[in-house]
Amino acid sequence: MNPVNYLYLAALLFTIGATGVLIRRNAIVLFMCVELMLNACNLAFVAFSRMHGNLDGQIIAFFTMVVAAAEVVVGLAIIVSLFRSRHSASVDDASLMKL
Amino acid sequence: MENLIALLVAAPLLGAAVLLCGGRRLDRVGHLLGTLLSAASFVIGVLLFTDMLGKSADDRTFTQHLFSWIPVEGFQADVSFQLDQLSMTFVLLISGVGTLIHIYSIGYMEHDERRRRFFGYLNLFLAAMLLLVLADNYLLLYVGWEGVGLASYLLIGFWQHKPSAATAAKKAFLVNRVGDMGLSIAIMLMFTTFGTFAFAPVLKAAEEHQGGGATLTGIALMLLLAACGKSAQVPLQSWLGDAMEGPTPVSALIHAATMVTAGVYLIVRSGAVFNASPDAQLVVVIVGSVTLLFGAIVGCAKDDIKKALAGSTMSQIGYMVLAAGLGPIGYVFAIMHLVTHGFFKAGLFLGAGSVMHGMNDEVDMRKYGALRKYMPVTFVTFGLGYLAIIGFPGLSGFFSKDKIIEAAFAKGGTEGWILGSVALLGAAITAYYMTRVMIMTFFGEKRWQPDAEGHEPHPHESPKSMTIPMIVLAFGSVFAGGFFSIGDRFLHWLEPVTEHSHGNAPISATTVTAATMVVLVIGVVLAYLQYGRRPVPVAAPRGSLLTRAARRDLLQDDFNHVVLVRGGEHLTRSLVYVDHTLVDGVVNGTAASVGGLSGRLRKLQNGYARSYAVSMFGGAALIVAATLLMRAV
Amino acid sequence: MSQLAAAATLSAGTSTGEAFQFWVLGTVAVIGALCTILMKKAVHSALCLAGTMIILAIFYLANGAYFLGVVQIIVYTGAIMMLFLFVVMLVGVTAADSLKETIKGQRWLALLCGLGFGILLLVGIGNASLHQFIGLGKANAGGNVEGLAALLFTKYVFAFEITGALLITATLGAMVLTHRERVERARTQRELAEQRVREGKHLPPLPAPGVYARHNAVDIAGLLPDGTPSELTVMQTLRERGQIRDVSDEALGDLKALEQRAAERLERTEEASK
């Protein structure tokens, strides 16, 4: 098998995640989709690491995980406080950007 | 000694600053301070004058450099002064007559609660005028020029509670702006042509005919426009009559020592430019002669004593401009007439002010009459001024005006004959209208009328502070001309600056003098027959068409109204129409299309974060596509 | 020739077992991802995502990233996904879970963009010149974890420290965001009672949930004397999640069933009468 297939899989997962961000309204699911996209990237990094025979790709994937963890912590805190004030986790309800 | 020049300007400027910023605390001493500083300027002038007399004719130009005003590469404007014989003459005239008018105003404005402010303005006027004549370049002269305009605006409109005074001040200011524009254009032309605007290099360049005849003519005509504005020459003369709304000392100051003389100064100072352009000189003499007759005719018809004198000023300045337009033949005589005129016109105005002071501020000469018994000092000083202005032999006006008429003839050819005849005719009319003023005011029956509040006038002699300046000026009116002319003192004094040539007179000086005497007698006799022999009606008769036109200043305001105001209105209306249809159409059309487009684009802004995310994602896809395409290519 | 050789090395890099594993688990991972974005309830989405992540962890392991594979399972699937579930429980089920699209054209645009983007990515990867395949044998010679550590604490030490600071900041940020400071004294029971009297609502304790012959459940609204259900009787959490069970129809259904049974019996009697 050609290891490039891992990259195709990563691209597919990334696209699915991105589409999910666009069509879901629940902020939590939205976050999950973002996590999916990040994981897809990680898979690509790991595959690249293997192809090039050095560990830098894995290091980058590791950092991505750390950043994702931080993002999730803050993002979920935002969702919780948003839910407290608006009693909803829908991103459409927060359409305050429109005049 | 030369370092004193700046003080000439600084003294009255300091007075203006102190008086105008000092507030009510200075109310009690303001007039004394103003007079003192004006007198200080005169004293410094006299000191410099004696110093100048002690030097040879070639060393008589003093300069003082104060500081660099605009030190830019290629544009050097300095604040520096130049005091030569021409400036000296003006300095003495301005500060001397100005100081006398200050003294006179102490009495005249005694009951005005804004006297301190008045003296501040007077000092400002003097300072601006002195700056004008002392500047050594056109830019600094322009500063003084504008300062004079400002001060005249403030003084003419001094009684701003009177709408007529406010309007007159505005009118004077606006008409002067037209002339100022001419001066600024002239300065710009000088700068682009010669690269400088200091007197010496500009005049030198003009002598060498640098920049071509057309440019020089342009500069000269623009300077003439400026002179017309300040000196009330046709066609910018309309403000002078209305300027009589100001207090009488202001009129005296404007007409005798400052303001109107500025135009003559400018032309004489720029003599080299005019010499280089015969066309411009022709225009100058035409303007001078037209104004000469114009002012004289207006002066004949006015019943308002001040306005009659104003017409006379216009006419006399016309003489000066005429003389200045004659070139080197006439420069000296223009200035000489200016100085003698400064004396007798100031005397006449102060006399008129004195009469008004005694007659409850009545200005209509038809309501005067027989005042000689009640105001002897005024009568005598006014009478001497009168004799001087009509050119009675031996008095100032005789010498100076006679010289101008001679010079006009000396121009030569048909031109000389026409100009000489005009000047002679002017002399006759001058004699006529001044005799009329004299008779209506001081002789004949009493025609006094109670004023609007029912007070009968009780004519009385004015206080000392008013009569003394009049007496001093009367002395000047009598003796100045003779002093200047005997042995051609004035000619030799000014010649180094203005040059002089005798021209080629077709008729002898004696003939001219005799002719002048004849027309003078004719004018006086005509006036006597019309006003001295018959009683003067209190209500003005309807008069001939010319008289009625002259009463309305020969329809100058009507002309301005029809041509300039109406024309301006029509132009404005058509511009407004173009603006509304064309410009607004384009602007509104653009706005409407942008607005319509925005209305459509606005729908994209629905406030949903997910919608924005779609556009972002689409954008990312486009970027990926572009990257791939670039790699493929 | 060289390309062929490169392709040979590439294909030679993986065993048949790994290929089998990739095709099976890859399919499952894509299905899991699709389920993540298509499941109606957030809990289901979270579980599907966890599944996908575990498969990704296996792929990491297969690719020689042993440390990341373990971290993926322990940290991602174990901690982060549990955090997600925790928040889902906290926030509850809302109307946002509906898959019905409210913005006009959004779904089509999203699908179009997704499809286009996906195709572009695939084309891009297909066009990329990926002829080299080295494998991690040499890099992992001294152990994967040791290799990573050597890089992390030398070449990437600053980034590592900065991510540490980032984590601390994120922790504090989450605390600040969710923490609510009590700025006033807690009110006593007496004060609360007085307030209730002042506002004139619910002086007595809340009513108990409804009781039905077959149920004695918390999710059934109690009936008022006029027969209408009162939502007050159900606990607030269930109310907000919209999980009140409506049993008003059940009585009618039961009645219908009873009538039908009676009718069957009557039919019989009718037939008998015939």
Side-chain angles (χ1 to χ4, degrees):
Chain A
M1 185 198 74
N2 194 331
V4 175
N5 287 346
Y6 284 113
L7 296 182
Y8 288 121
L9 177 64
L12 204 57
L13 291 179
F14 185 89
T15 309
I16 292 172
T19 314
V21 169
L22 299 182
I23 63 172
R24 293 305 299 257
R25 272 180 293 163
N26 190 332
I28 303 170
V29 181
L30 231 64
F31 259 99
M32 292 180 203
C33 294
V34 172
E35 292 301 319
L36 186 60
M37 289 160 77
L38 286 170
N39 272 290
C41 292
N42 276 354
L43 180 60
F45 275 125
V46 169
F48 281 129
S49 170
R50 186 178 179 196
M51 281 181 205
H52 294 294
N54 66 33
L55 295 175
D56 287 309
Q58 292 189 20
I59 296 279
I60 301 294
F62 173 72
F63 282 133
T64 310
M65 281 184 191
V66 177
V67 171
E71 177 227 333
V72 163
V73 168
V74 175
L76 290 179
I78 290 174
I79 289 175
V80 168
S81 53
L82 197 71
F83 185 79
R84 272 183 192 159
S85 64
R86 303 181 68 89
H87 295 286
S88 160
S90 165
V91 287
D92 286 357
D93 287 352
S95 65
L96 298 171
M97 280 188 251
K98 190 174 166 183
L99 279 177
Chain B
M1 217 45 190
E2 298 189 0
N3 294 335
L4 289 178
I5 298 175
L7 282 182
L8 283 171
V9 182
L13 197 62
L14 174 75
V18 169
L19 291 178
L20 293 179
C21 305
R24 297 188 180 283
R25 277 162 292 173
L26 292 174
D27 269 354
R28 282 190 302 138
V29 294
H31 50 284
L32 296 177
L33 187 67
T35 311
L36 196 69
L37 283 166
S38 167
S41 192
F42 179 64
V43 169
I44 298 166
V46 170
L47 282 176
L48 284 163
F49 179 59
T50 52
D51 189 50
M52 191 181 273
L53 282 180
K55 301 198 173 179
S56 70
D58 294 334
D59 296 334
R60 281 179 175 171
T61 301
F62 298 167
T63 54
Q64 184 184 9
H65 177 79
L66 275 191
F67 54 90
S68 279
W69 180 15
I70 309 173
V72 181
E73 178 72 28
F75 185 91
Q76 294 293 329
D78 292 339
V79 175
S80 54
F81 299 121
Q82 170 187 336
L83 183 68
D84 55 10
Q85 290 93 324
L86 181 61
S87 305
M88 194 71 240
T89 313
F90 271 90
V91 165
L92 290 179
L93 176 72
I94 295 164
S95 57
V97 175
T99 306
L100 290 175
I101 291 170
H102 271 78
I103 297 170
Y104 178 87
S105 305
I106 295 176
Y108 192 85
M109 300 297 284
E110 193 171 3
H111 304 296
D112 197 304
E113 57 184 18
R114 293 163 71 227
R115 183 164 67 164
R116 169 182 55 81
R117 188 182 292 263
F118 182 77
F119 273 82
Y121 292 158
L122 281 186
N123 272 358
L124 182 64
F125 209 158
L126 281 195
M129 194 64 200
L130 286 169
L131 182 65
L132 196 161
V133 299
L134 283 172
D136 89 327
N137 59 64
Y138 281 98
L139 199 64
L140 194 59
L141 178 141
Y142 189 72
V143 175
W145 193 270
E146 292 293 342
V148 168
L150 165 70
S152 69
Y153 169 78
L154 293 170
L155 283 170
I156 293 170
F158 185 72
W159 285 324
Q160 73 244 81
H161 53 87
K162 287 199 296 185
S164 57
T167 314
K170 253 184 279 180
K171 186 173 176 185
F173 196 73
L174 287 177
V175 174
N176 265 297
R177 296 303 317 169
V178 180
D180 297 347
M181 195 189 65
L183 183 54
S184 59
I185 292 175
I187 294 176
M188 293 177 210
L189 274 175
M190 280 173 202
F191 188 71
T192 51
T193 314
F194 308 133
T196 175
F197 32 65
F199 287 145
V202 167
L203 298 180
K204 191 160 174 294
E207 268 171 28
E208 293 161 4
H209 289 270
Q210 278 181 21
T215 315
L216 283 172
T217 307
I219 294 176
L221 287 179
M222 284 299 118
L223 289 173
L224 174 65
L225 181 66
C228 283
K230 272 283 178 289
S231 293
Q233 299 295 295
V234 174
L236 297 179
Q237 82 290 12
S238 63
W239 64 272
L240 192 70
D242 291 349
M244 292 302 120
E245 289 294 339
T248 306
V250 175
S251 308
L253 196 58
I254 288 180
H255 288 238
T258 61
M259 190 97 181
V260 294
T261 60
V264 180
Y265 172 78
L266 185 68
I267 295 177
V268 174
R269 175 59 83 191
S270 316
V273 179
F274 285 91
N275 291 345
S277 168
D279 295 338
Q281 275 186 323
L282 182 64
V283 180
V284 175
V285 290
I286 291 172
V287 165
S289 1
V290 169
T291 313
L292 190 166
L293 293 178
F294 189 104
I297 293 170
V298 170
C300 291
K302 290 287 183 185
D303 290 329
D304 180 327
I305 185 169
K306 283 174 73 180
K307 291 200 171 166
L309 289 177
S312 144
T313 303
M314 211 186 281
S315 169
Q316 299 301 316
I317 304 281
Y319 269 112
M320 297 170 211
V321 171
L322 169 61
L326 294 172
I329 313 172
Y331 288 142
V332 174
F333 304 126
I335 301 299
M336 189 159 97
H337 192 54
L338 193 150
V339 175
T340 55
H341 173 257
F343 283 114
F344 54 70
K345 186 48 65 66
L348 287 170
F349 263 112
L350 296 190
S354 175
V355 169
M356 287 160 56
H357 199 67
M359 294 290 289
N360 292 348
D361 287 330
E362 179 60 61
V363 290
D364 190 348
M365 290 189 292
R366 293 184 184 278
K367 296 174 184 169
Y368 290 165
L371 288 175
R372 66 181 185 281
K373 296 184 203 115
Y374 301 91
M375 304 175 153
V377 180
T378 307
F379 168 62
V380 171
T381 54
F382 196 94
L384 288 173
Y386 154 72
L387 290 176
I389 195 174
I390 64 171
F392 191 80
L395 272 66
S396 291
F398 168 75
F399 293 104
S400 53
K401 197 188 288 179
D402 199 44
K403 291 283 187 198
I404 291 180
I405 299 172
E406 274 174 35
F409 278 114
K411 178 79 177 170
T414 326
E415 208 184 327
W417 279 105
I418 296 173
L419 295 175
S421 313
V422 167
L424 268 182
L425 181 61
I429 306 178
T430 307
Y432 173 80
Y433 67 75
M434 282 314 298
T435 311
R436 174 175 174 269
V437 169
M438 196 68 195
I439 292 173
M440 283 173 87
T441 306
F442 292 104
F443 295 91
E445 297 296 313
K446 290 182 196 174
R447 298 182 301 274
W448 308 341
Q449 305 280 324
D451 65 9
E453 286 147 27
H455 299 299
E456 284 291 335
H458 298 288
H460 54 273
E461 193 50 81
S462 300
K464 282 268 165 33
S465 68
M466 289 167 71
T467 53
I468 289 173
M470 288 154 62
I471 294 168
V472 174
L473 286 169
F475 269 99
S477 314
V478 173
F479 299 114
F483 178 75
F484 290 157
S485 284
I486 293 166
D488 285 337
R489 278 202 191 101
F490 200 75
L491 184 62
H492 295 311
W493 162 254
L494 267 189
E495 203 175 355
V497 184
T498 59
E499 305 172 42
H500 183 70
S501 71
H502 286 286
N504 45 348
I507 46 177
S508 72
T510 330
T511 321
V512 173
T513 312
T516 315
M517 283 307 109
V518 170
V519 297
L520 167 68
V521 171
I522 294 173
V524 172
V525 168
L526 272 177
Y528 176 71
L529 289 177
Q530 196 173 349
Y531 295 98
R533 295 278 298 275
R534 282 181 280 172
V536 180
V538 174
R542 193 152 178 273
S544 68
L545 198 63
L546 182 65
T547 315
R548 275 180 282 150
R551 280 195 195 125
R552 301 188 61 179
D553 297 324
L554 286 179
L555 305 177
Q556 58 187 18
D557 284 333
D558 306 78
F559 176 81
N560 285 351
H561 186 74
V562 170
V563 175
L564 299 177
V565 179
R566 288 273 171 75
E569 278 175 359
H570 282 297
L571 184 66
T572 313
R573 268 197 214 115
S574 43
L575 282 179
V576 164
Y577 177 76
V578 169
D579 181 54
H580 277 175
T581 51
L582 199 68
V583 179
D584 284 9
V586 170
V587 171
N588 290 344
T590 312
S593 48
V594 169
L597 195 63
S598 312
R600 302 221 164 83
L601 285 176
R602 189 172 173 271
K603 285 179 185 153
L604 292 179
Q605 296 281 331
N606 52 11
Y608 291 114
R610 288 190 301 139
S611 270
Y612 302 153
V614 167
S615 11
M616 211 171 116
F617 192 44
L622 284 181
I623 289 173
V624 170
T627 317
L628 287 179
L629 271 180
M630 288 313 290
R631 281 188 51 184
V633 169
Chain C
M1 190 66 201
S2 62
Q3 275 189 356
L4 274 177
T9 48
L10 270 175
S11 55
T14 51
S15 60
T16 320
E18 191 184 343
F20 177 74
Q21 175 191 303
F22 174 81
W23 290 115
V24 173
L25 290 183
T27 315
V28 176
V30 170
I31 291 171
L34 285 173
C35 287
T36 305
I37 69 166
L38 293 177
M39 280 290 175
K40 199 175 166 189
K41 295 208 160 145
V43 186
H44 298 165
S45 288
L47 289 175
C48 293
L49 184 60
T52 306
M53 282 179 172
I54 288 175
I55 291 169
L56 286 185
I58 294 169
F59 284 159
Y60 291 173
L61 293 173
N63 275 312
Y66 307 118
F67 177 69
L68 281 185
V70 175
V71 167
Q72 172 87 357
I73 290 173
I74 295 175
V75 175
Y76 240 123
T77 323
I80 296 184
M81 282 323 294
M82 290 315 111
L83 194 61
F84 266 105
L85 283 176
F86 197 69
V87 172
V88 169
M89 294 301 166
L90 201 65
V91 166
V93 184
T94 62
D97 289 348
S98 160
L99 275 179
K100 201 177 161 210
E101 189 53 61
T102 48
I103 306 172
K104 197 179 151 197
Q106 169 82 12
R107 181 161 292 173
W108 294 113
L109 274 175
L111 285 178
L112 189 72
C113 284
L115 211 63
F117 192 78
I119 289 170
L120 282 171
L121 277 187
L122 296 180
V123 170
I125 295 168
N127 278 343
S129 49
L130 299 162
H131 307 304
Q132 224 179 1
F133 184 72
I134 295 171
L136 281 170
K138 205 175 165 190
N140 274 346
N144 179 250
V145 179
E146 285 82 351
L148 280 183
L151 273 179
L152 205 53
F153 293 111
T154 53
K155 192 174 170 187
Y156 292 101
V157 68
F158 284 113
F160 182 69
E161 296 294 338
I162 290 168
T163 45
L166 180 73
L167 275 178
I168 295 286
T169 315
T171 316
L172 286 175
M175 278 174 62
V176 169
L177 277 171
T178 50
H179 182 67
R180 277 188 293 189
E181 190 76 43
R182 184 181 279 281
V183 290
E184 53 193 6
R185 182 176 59 85
R187 283 177 296 183
T188 60
Q189 287 254 301
R190 187 178 181 80
E191 280 166 342
L192 285 172
E194 279 166 358
Q195 188 192 6
R196 277 214 294 277
V197 173
R198 242 191 334 271
E199 289 170 0
K201 59 178 187 188
H202 279 305
L203 292 183
L206 289 171
V211 176
Y212 192 59
R214 286 184 297 185
H215 302 276
N216 185 1
V218 288
D219 59 347
I220 297 175
L223 295 182
L224 293 175
D226 61 348
T228 53
S230 164
E231 295 207 338
L232 265 182
T233 57
V234 185
M235 65 180 286
Q236 197 180 1
T237 312
L238 292 179
R239 226 186 295 154
E240 277 182 1
R241 284 191 195 164
Q243 287 180 339
I244 302 174
R245 189 137 36 114
D246 187 6
V247 292
S248 54
D249 292 339
E250 278 185 31
L252 291 173
D254 286 353
L255 191 62
K256 217 176 229 169
L258 195 67
E259 275 175 354
Q260 197 169 354
R261 278 202 296 277
E264 279 167 9
R265 214 172 290 141
L266 283 171
E267 194 178 37
R268 215 187 297 149
T269 48
E270 273 173 24
E271 277 177 3
S273 65
K274 277 175 189 170

